[in-house]
Amino acid sequence: MGTLHIVGIGPGNDDHITPSALRAIQESNHVIGYTTYIRLIKKHIEGKEITRTGMSEEIGRARVAIEMAKEGKTISLISSGDAGVYGMAGLVFEVLKEMNWKRGDDPQIQFHPGITASVSCGSRVGAPLIHDSCTISLSDLLTPWTVIEKRIESAAQGDFVISFYNPASGRRQRQIVEAQRILKKYRPGTTPVALVKSGYRKREHIVMSDLDHFLDYEIGMLTTVIVGSSQTYLYEGYMVTPRGYSNKYEMETGKVKEGQRKTFSLRHEGDMNSRLEDLKKEEGENFKLAKTYVTPTDSWVTPKDIHDKSFVTKKDPVQSALNALSILDKGPKKEKKVEEERPALPIKTTNPSYLGWMEGALLYFDGKQYFQIGEFKTPCDLSKKGFKELEIYKDGIVRELKKVNDVKNDFEFLCEGGGIEMAFNLYEKWAILRNKSISKRVGRLVKEKSNKVLLNQQSYHDIRWLCQMPKEIWEMVREELLKC
Ligand code: SAH
């Protein structure tokens, strides 16, 4: 069977072509590509059959490549940058489709990605693409101008950094002027703009300018124009788009700014205000959820009545979760005090079981059997903890352990029920394996919602309520609480 390699050669020098692309080219009997690209890789294709084509012969180029590969040859079809970004890959599929080619048919197709112009040119001028960015080709040879115009407008409105490919050619001069006009409606004239011509090639030429002035410079077929977002700035001649660290952290000290939390969504003044106003109109003032991690200013859950007793309503999961929450909140009031100050109440129970942390996993003891729930954070010698492994369930979600010596284990939580079913149940409720940081937060939340109790002179957080709560309901409560 023949092979068609669809190869992106990167910006155009040997340092920036991938080993996979190079290997494909070297393996090929025949290399097909636009004249300029063939020239860029000329020393790698000496002695090979070569088909050079002009710009407007692309369909023919793709068809020839497929036909030749079908004859059993190994062919490389070359694009600059990446073949999947305004390159030959799409065209190959269009021709294959026309031929009714199916997966497994001759020829086989292999892709070799390359560094696309936005990425290579971006790296020549600093770090312009750090945040959300997009690429727009200004070539209206195959795309109606009205479509392109709409995309520029949307990208400008969305404050994307924009890399313009095919910004102009000998005949096409109007498009980039129009693009500037649209962008200026949304961004200041001082917005940085980089013009990178022939990036990483011999004739590389770079101009740093701004939105008001970049049209004063030469822009052609070999140029990529990178227009900054409203946040992009110039620093020491480099074009930089901030990632947003300074919204959350003091850059000098690295400390989290007041009102922000490290692993939580960025709190931004007025962020949700537009939505809050609408919600207030619909729901009245009652929709705010007190005593959760949802602070009043950014809460946008919309329960009609959070104290509805009908617990689970099938139609409205948010409502159900909130109902469940309100039941949790009816437990004994817990003042905001440091944990030690909370009095532990002595209790009696007939079938206590116990839960504690062990090296990032949970250790569960139901009075008879021990279970490890979740994986250890780092490999750990079980015998040092007093155990031997008996059985592994469901790929290690739960392991049954046997006590082999009397190393003492610490248990923080009082549970009830037992057996492997309860171990699975606790796994589900704690979301142990799926995401360690969520399981930690769930742990904190569970502690906060639980009473401290004394059993046989030992104090525990009493999480029997969690053992009893149906899994589905807890899932909803958890999702609500972890939302922000
Ligand atoms: N497949 C290519 C893009 C082909 S469209 C890729 O992924 O990069 C052709 C356009 O790409 C040019 O008009 C120019 O805007 C951009 N381009 C490609 N290589 C470039 C380079 N080395 N320097 C600057 N722009 C380049």
Side-chain angles (χ1 to χ4, degrees):
M1 192 186 285
T3 303
L4 177 58
H5 292 295
I6 300 178
V7 181
I9 60 167
N13 74 23
D14 279 1
D15 282 349
H16 297 96
I17 186 168
T18 67
S20 157
L22 205 51
R23 219 177 304 123
I25 293 168
Q26 284 160 349
E27 262 172 25
S28 296
N29 312 106
H30 200 121
V31 177
I32 304 178
Y34 173 54
T35 318
T36 315
Y37 308 155
I38 293 288
R39 202 168 51 233
L40 291 169
I41 52 165
K42 99 172 163 260
K43 71 167 182 250
H44 302 294
I45 53 177
E46 272 164 23
K48 293 186 190 297
E49 288 179 63
I50 296 166
T51 304
R52 293 182 181 80
T53 55
M55 259 302 177
S56 51
E57 303 157 46
E58 279 148 344
I59 301 182
R61 217 192 305 168
R63 184 165 291 123
V64 169
I66 294 166
E67 294 295 352
M68 281 203 271
K70 265 174 105 169
E71 290 164 16
K73 290 185 182 161
T74 303
I75 309 292
S76 278
L77 184 58
I78 306 293
S79 292
S80 73
D82 183 78
V85 183
Y86 313 114
M88 292 298 289
L91 196 53
V92 168
F93 278 110
E94 282 176 47
V95 175
L96 287 172
K97 202 169 142 211
E98 196 187 279
M99 292 174 163
N100 202 21
W101 175 92
K102 300 275 178 273
R103 262 177 198 261
D105 284 358
D106 206 6
Q108 60 166 325
I109 297 191
Q110 281 181 21
F111 295 91
H112 305 271
I115 306 174
T116 189
S118 58
V119 172
S120 57
C121 297
S123 76
R124 291 300 286 129
V125 297
L129 310 183
I130 287 298
H131 216 286
D132 299 332
S133 78
C134 68
T135 61
I136 297 178
S137 166
L138 288 187
S139 169
D140 58 359
L141 299 179
L142 304 170
T143 310
W145 176 250
T146 45
V147 172
I148 300 173
E149 203 175 41
K150 197 167 157 203
R151 289 185 184 153
I152 303 171
E153 185 97 31
S154 309
Q157 211 164 17
D159 203 22
F160 286 85
V161 173
I162 309 171
S163 304
F164 288 106
Y165 285 56
N166 302 306
S169 68
R171 274 194 223 140
R172 286 188 307 103
Q173 295 292 331
R174 185 181 55 89
Q175 288 80 357
I176 190 71
V177 180
E178 269 302 294
Q180 183 207 37
R181 186 189 59 78
I182 298 169
L183 286 161
K184 280 181 72 164
K185 289 201 283 178
Y186 300 93
R187 294 178 200 183
T190 51
T191 306
V193 174
L195 311 177
V196 182
K197 183 186 172 197
S198 300
Y200 292 103
R201 296 185 194 165
K202 273 204 191 98
R203 303 217 175 119
E204 181 184 85
H205 185 66
I206 297 173
V207 175
M208 302 302 275
S209 180
D210 61 29
L211 199 50
D212 271 344
H213 302 100
F214 76 98
L215 291 181
D216 299 345
Y217 302 91
E218 186 203 330
I219 297 174
M221 293 249 287
L222 298 172
T223 313
T224 296
V225 178
I226 305 181
V227 179
S229 73
S230 64
Q231 303 300 303
T232 307
Y233 58 89
L234 280 182
Y235 173 72
E236 291 289 309
Y238 288 113
M239 185 172 176
V240 181
T241 306
R243 176 78 176 82
Y245 288 101
S246 60
N247 292 333
K248 192 169 263 187
Y249 300 95
E250 305 285 357
M251 291 313 266
E252 275 173 22
T253 59
K255 284 204 181 111
V256 179
K257 282 188 172 172
E258 207 184 314
Q260 303 293 346
R261 295 174 75 176
K262 206 169 170 192
T263 52
F264 283 66
S265 306
L266 184 73
R267 295 268 154 93
H268 182 46
E269 213 175 308
D271 224 6
M272 291 296 203
N273 276 357
S274 56
R275 259 177 258 182
L276 281 175
E277 284 314 308
D278 289 346
L279 287 170
K280 272 185 202 161
K281 266 183 235 146
E282 276 173 38
E283 312 286 341
E285 297 281 340
N286 265 346
F287 63 89
K288 288 175 189 168
L289 243 188
K291 283 206 244 134
T292 68
Y293 294 143
V294 187
T295 60
T297 47
D298 55 9
S299 158
W300 52 290
V301 267
T302 63
K304 287 250 180 325
D305 171 12
I306 62 169
H307 296 297
D308 186 354
K309 295 290 179 312
S310 60
F311 210 73
V312 185
T313 68
K314 280 219 172 77
K315 273 195 230 116
D316 186 350
V318 174
Q319 181 68 69
S320 306
L322 291 166
N323 290 341
L325 248 189
S326 73
I327 288 175
L328 275 183
D329 272 349
K330 289 216 176 75
K333 292 267 175 287
K334 284 171 268 1
E335 263 78 61
K336 259 204 170 167
K337 278 187 198 157
V338 207
E339 218 181 282
E340 285 70 36
E341 291 174 33
R342 266 200 258 157
L345 309 168
I347 53 143
K348 283 191 184 132
T349 170
T350 48
N351 60 341
S353 56
Y354 308 89
L355 191 70
W357 291 106
M358 183 166 75
E359 303 291 330
L362 286 172
L363 179 67
Y364 177 56
F365 177 51
D366 67 0
K368 288 191 211 114
Q369 292 167 290
Y370 287 91
F371 296 99
Q372 174 193 334
I373 306 175
E375 302 276 1
F376 293 135
K377 221 183 215 158
T378 47
C380 120
D381 184 353
L382 259 183
S383 68
K384 291 208 173 115
K385 306 278 170 196
F387 295 110
K388 195 177 101 183
E389 195 168 274
L390 273 186
E391 187 103 33
I392 303 182
Y393 296 94
K394 295 198 193 161
D395 292 333
I397 281 178
V398 170
R399 292 177 160 83
E400 189 181 346
L401 305 178
K402 189 178 173 194
K403 194 83 189 155
V404 287
N405 61 45
D406 53 8
V407 176
K408 190 173 173 305
N409 307 107
D410 290 326
F411 293 103
E412 253 183 276
F413 301 101
L414 177 70
C415 313
E416 69 180 2
I420 183 96
E421 281 315 309
M422 185 51 85
F424 282 131
N425 186 323
L426 286 166
Y427 165 81
E428 287 289 335
K429 287 180 178 165
W430 225 280
I432 282 290
L433 273 190
R434 267 168 280 163
N435 183 324
K436 281 246 159 46
S437 96
I438 286 189
S439 72
K440 261 201 205 151
R441 286 161 69 190
V442 171
R444 276 203 297 273
L445 168 75
V446 166
K447 253 191 195 172
E448 203 175 282
K449 291 280 176 198
S450 304
N451 290 322
K452 263 195 147 179
V453 294
L454 265 181
L455 184 69
N456 306 329
Q457 276 98 55
Q458 274 288 325
S459 95
Y460 301 97
H461 295 280
D462 183 2
I463 61 163
R464 287 174 295 173
W465 59 269
L466 181 66
C467 298
Q468 287 157 7
M469 180 174 281
K471 248 185 338 211
E472 298 69 21
I473 301 298
W474 175 242
E475 195 120 300
M476 288 188 265
V477 174
R478 201 177 57 202
E479 269 166 27
E480 265 319 293
L481 290 171
L482 296 179
K483 229 174 205 167
C484 6

